[in-house]
Amino acid sequence: MTLYFDHAASTPVAPEVAAAMASVLADPALQANPAADHPPGRAALAVVDAAQAAVATLVGALAGEIVFTSGATESNNLAVLGAARWRRARGRHVITAATEHASVVAPCRQLEREGFEVTWLRPGPDGVIVPAQVAAVIRPDTVLVSLMQVNNEIGVVQDVAALGRLCRSADAWLHVDAVQAAGREIVDVRAAQVDLLSVSAHKIGGPKGVGALVLDESRVQRLDYLHHGGGQQRGLRPGTLPTHQLAGFGVAADLARAGLTTEAARLTALRDQLCAALTAVPGVRLNGQGARRAPHIVSVSVPGVEGESLRLALEGLAVSAGAACDAGHGEPSAVLRCLGHSGELARSTVRFSLGRGTTAAEVDAAVRLFAVGVAHARRLAPAA
Ligand code: PMP
């Protein structure tokens, strides 16, 4: 049996979520198009409304401020491209970080091709972008700042409220990728003065293929649309809404909110147990040391072993070699390179991520497998 330590890549669907989705799919009264103006349509719309309310409550927004998307990749694209293009008459400067998720980095590269100037911040050795770095580069023509709350590879937490204050005073819109923060950290768009925020259902026990972009209505009335079609969701993201997906997302959001305090505390204890045991293995280094870290991610690097042999030696563990989204192209992670890791050390990095089902016994078992795997990989590929 494989031990699942890859909750940052995707979480198992919670049983309550699966039940809610199945009941929407099976209910003859909920089969209509939620945009249709007749009683069955309105019954389907009630499912959408409930999901909007649940997601809004999770992030401190109003129900009408939730725009559903196909996932956070789309939310991030819509936020970055949609906001910058919409505000281009005001200015063409954007601030982000080299350590953002690919679904922020790639749209920012696209903006560069369109004539925007993008300032790429690099974190300090602890992996954190500090507000002073933004303050040093923000200017009157900065239209958008896009920085994540919790880094998906190493779990470090950024001070979103301080970024919010800074961006507000410069009238730059702040977009926050809160995919890894939702359900693990407090996410509150109003308190933190966030203008645009991305979340994804499958990172909080919901189904894959659905997410949301949250807009502060008092600040962001429009974006340059990515999709053109019918007028659903005020035209911001047209298309027939997937009622069963949204039912699942809504229940996942409710569960995440209800369990936030207890689950964050439980995961923090497990994370600390994992962290202490992993770093007790000789030579193993914790990434993001010194920074505040989210409760569910532990990233370690193992000097002196070859990445591929380490991966093979950890067969019984479902962990990530970095970000799952980057796993395909074999390049060392940009995040780890920014931390000063050599390409070799970046490749011998393992991310453990915990979630609802993780137990202390599993953490012990994972550490045992890891210690044996590291010893094996060291024998196979001794340090030069
Ligand atoms: N941002 C972050 C920080 C993520 O971890 C992920 C998922 N890897 C995404 C965005 C993309 O989310 P989705 O899978 O819903 O497209």
Side-chain angles (χ1 to χ4, degrees):
M1 223 237 341
T2 309
L3 287 169
Y4 193 74
F5 276 83
D6 207 11
H7 291 260
S10 201
T11 52
V13 171
E16 298 91 328
V17 168
M21 292 178 71
S23 89
V24 168
L25 282 169
D27 189 340
L30 295 176
Q31 303 303 310
N33 189 319
D37 188 16
H38 47 53
R42 284 192 282 278
L45 183 62
V47 174
V48 174
D49 288 345
Q52 266 189 337
V55 174
T57 308
L58 179 67
V59 299
L62 303 171
E65 296 178 315
I66 305 299
V67 176
F68 289 118
T69 63
S70 62
T73 295
E74 185 188 337
S75 302
N76 285 345
N77 272 268
L78 180 57
V80 171
L81 297 173
R85 288 172 180 164
W86 178 247
R87 303 193 88 197
R88 69 191 313 153
R90 188 184 167 278
R92 289 177 172 231
H93 180 233
V94 171
I95 299 170
T96 189
T99 44
E100 288 297 304
H101 189 263
S103 55
V104 166
V105 170
C108 285
R109 295 244 179 269
Q110 174 59 29
L111 288 176
E112 286 180 325
R113 288 189 285 273
E114 294 173 18
F116 285 84
E117 184 190 338
V118 178
T119 299
W120 297 91
L121 299 174
R122 294 173 70 83
D126 61 358
V128 178
I129 306 283
V130 293
Q133 288 178 269
V134 177
V137 295
I138 204 162
R139 22 186 247 217
D141 65 336
T142 307
V143 286
L144 180 71
V145 176
S146 180
L147 290 168
M148 62 193 359
Q149 184 165 345
V150 171
N151 183 273
N152 52 306
E153 287 190 52
I154 58 173
V156 297
V157 182
Q158 262 144 202
D159 186 348
V160 172
L163 294 171
R165 280 193 296 277
L166 198 65
C167 291
R168 209 42 72 101
S169 66
D171 192 31
W173 285 356
L174 174 62
H175 166 243
V176 172
D177 174 342
V179 167
Q180 298 294 344
R184 288 114 180 179
E185 292 278 319
I186 291 171
V187 176
D188 189 327
V189 289
R190 284 286 182 282
Q193 304 189 80
V194 174
D195 301 301
L196 301 136
L197 182 123
S198 304
V199 283
S200 179
H202 77 103
K203 310 285 185 170
I204 58 165
K208 294 166 187 63
V210 60
L213 180 63
V214 186
L215 314 174
D216 180 337
E217 236 171 18
S218 66
R219 307 248 314 150
V220 183
Q221 276 89 35
R222 267 217 46 187
L223 296 170
D224 212 64
Y225 309 150
L226 291 186
H227 298 118
H228 302 268
Q232 296 98 331
Q233 307 199 86
R234 291 175 284 142
L236 285 164
R237 202 287 194 168
T240 301
L241 286 167
T243 35
H244 61 296
Q245 299 276 82
L246 300 185
F249 192 5
V251 171
D254 279 339
L255 291 172
R257 183 178 47 88
L260 180 61
T261 323
T262 45
E263 187 60 1
R266 195 185 74 85
L267 291 180
T268 301
L270 289 176
R271 178 202 67 186
D272 292 345
Q273 175 194 343
L274 176 63
C275 206
L278 292 177
T279 50
V281 176
V284 172
R285 281 165 46 176
L286 173 69
N287 294 309
Q289 186 118 43
R292 196 166 88 68
R293 290 181 299 110
H296 67 304
I297 296 178
V298 178
S299 165
V300 290
S301 297
V302 192
V305 306
E306 205 258 317
E308 200 42 41
S309 357
L310 182 60
R311 214 96 50 233
L312 288 174
L314 298 181
E315 280 281 86
L317 271 177
V319 287
S320 166
C325 307
D326 289 349
H329 59 51
E331 287 296 311
S333 144
V335 175
L336 299 168
R337 297 300 291 266
C338 275
L339 297 191
H341 286 29
S342 65
E344 200 187 345
L345 188 59
R347 270 186 281 270
S348 62
T349 294
V350 183
R351 177 189 71 182
F352 291 77
S353 51
L354 302 79
R356 201 169 277 123
T358 313
T359 62
E362 282 181 335
V363 168
D364 283 339
V367 171
R368 276 196 301 276
L369 278 175
F370 177 78
V372 171
V374 167
H376 184 69
R378 282 210 170 111
R379 277 196 302 277
L380 281 182

